[in-house]
Amino acid sequence: MMKPVRILGIAGSLRRGSYNRAALRAATQLVPEDATLDVFELDGIPAFNQDEEQNPPAQVTEFKRRIREADAILIVTPEYNYSIPGVLKNAIDWASRPYGDSAWSGKPAAIMGASIGTIGTARAQYHLRQMFVFLNVFPINQPEVMIGNAAERFDAQGNLTDETTKDFIRQLLRNLVDWTRRIAQSQGV
Ligand SMILES: Cc1cc2nc3c(=O)[nH]c(=O)nc-3n(C[C@H](O)[C@H](O)[C@H](O)COP(=O)(O)O)c2cc1C
């Protein structure tokens, strides 16, 4: 039996009824048998201040530890004003600092996102992919899981009810696990 691939899931919304947090919860139920998916909540991470980067708050130290411990990352992002929410960008920035001590470098990753609009976070996802270039994160390209019209795909309790979306998430996680193993193999891990 191969060692399970440990995925760390991060949602870019703090909202109680968040569709993106709900999509991440759904993903924890759709993860392949040869992987695990744990969630890190971004609540309580203060605004980034470069004066503090050598001595970061405890939540940031813990966040970086969890990223480093994970074999792969799943980011579930809302779209705010055609980009990713500040809360997610802030957390990404903290974990990338100080220079030379980024927790992101070399991590395989997958992206998905849910929006109440029709475009399903496409613009936010492409901004995230742009950040991955500098962060040296290795995202999988497909499937692109852009959950548009989210209000129609979750029930009032925040359960994902749309079977097509579930299939996309299953495939995304399958591809992430395979991609992570390929990268580990190429590094002789
Ligand atoms: C500040 C703000 C900006 C938003 N901008 C966009 C946007 O650019 N594109 C979009 O599809 N939805 C946008 N929305 C609507 C979000 O899709 C919607 O609020 C969604 O529920 C947020 O994700 P969540 O449910 O995980 O909190 C915006 C919402 C907020 C609060």
Side-chain angles (χ1 to χ4, degrees):
M1 177 78 180
M2 273 188 292
K3 245 176 63 184
V5 166
R6 292 160 304 173
I7 306 168
L8 183 67
I10 303 157
S13 174
L14 307 181
R15 201 168 72 81
R16 254 190 312 277
S18 160
Y19 294 118
N20 287 278
R21 293 177 68 203
L24 178 53
R25 274 198 309 279
T28 64
Q29 306 298 312
L30 299 169
V31 73
E33 276 187 1
D34 58 338
T36 61
L37 172 52
D38 293 325
V39 172
F40 187 89
E41 300 282 356
L42 299 182
D43 307 62
I45 296 187
F48 177 75
N49 178 342
Q50 200 178 355
D51 291 338
E52 309 295 328
E53 69 176 7
Q54 298 292 343
N55 189 20
Q59 296 100 314
V60 170
T61 306
E62 176 61 8
F63 184 40
K64 289 179 77 174
R65 188 186 70 74
R66 296 282 301 278
I67 295 166
R68 288 199 162 109
E69 190 179 79
D71 301 309
I73 306 293
L74 171 66
I75 295 186
V76 189
T77 186
E79 180 172 281
Y80 277 9
N81 297 313
Y82 285 16
S83 189
I84 68 167
V87 78
L88 178 59
K89 179 67 164 61
N90 184 59
I92 289 172
D93 290 344
W94 268 120
S96 72
R97 299 296 299 181
Y99 184 77
D101 190 38
S102 169
W104 299 110
S105 188
K107 289 288 169 188
I111 303 169
M112 61 185 201
S115 154
I116 55 170
T118 49
I119 299 187
T121 73
R123 294 158 295 215
Q125 292 196 27
Y126 293 133
H127 277 188
L128 196 49
R129 283 182 189 274
Q130 181 175 323
M131 287 167 218
F132 285 172
V133 176
F134 187 70
L135 294 169
N136 196 36
V137 165
F138 305 142
I140 57 167
N141 288 327
Q142 288 169 7
E144 293 186 290
V145 182
M146 295 164 174
I147 309 171
N149 302 317
E152 294 165 19
R153 300 184 203 277
F154 294 84
D155 68 16
Q157 287 71 46
N159 300 303
L160 178 62
T161 49
D162 186 72
E163 290 301 324
T164 309
T165 305
K166 282 187 195 176
D167 285 344
F168 274 120
I169 295 174
R170 263 190 213 100
Q171 192 60 57
L172 181 78
L173 293 169
R174 178 72 261 155
N175 291 3
L176 177 61
V177 170
D178 292 346
W179 176 230
T180 303
R181 292 200 191 283
R182 269 172 66 181
I183 290 173
Q185 210 170 33
S186 73
Q187 293 168 339
V189 179

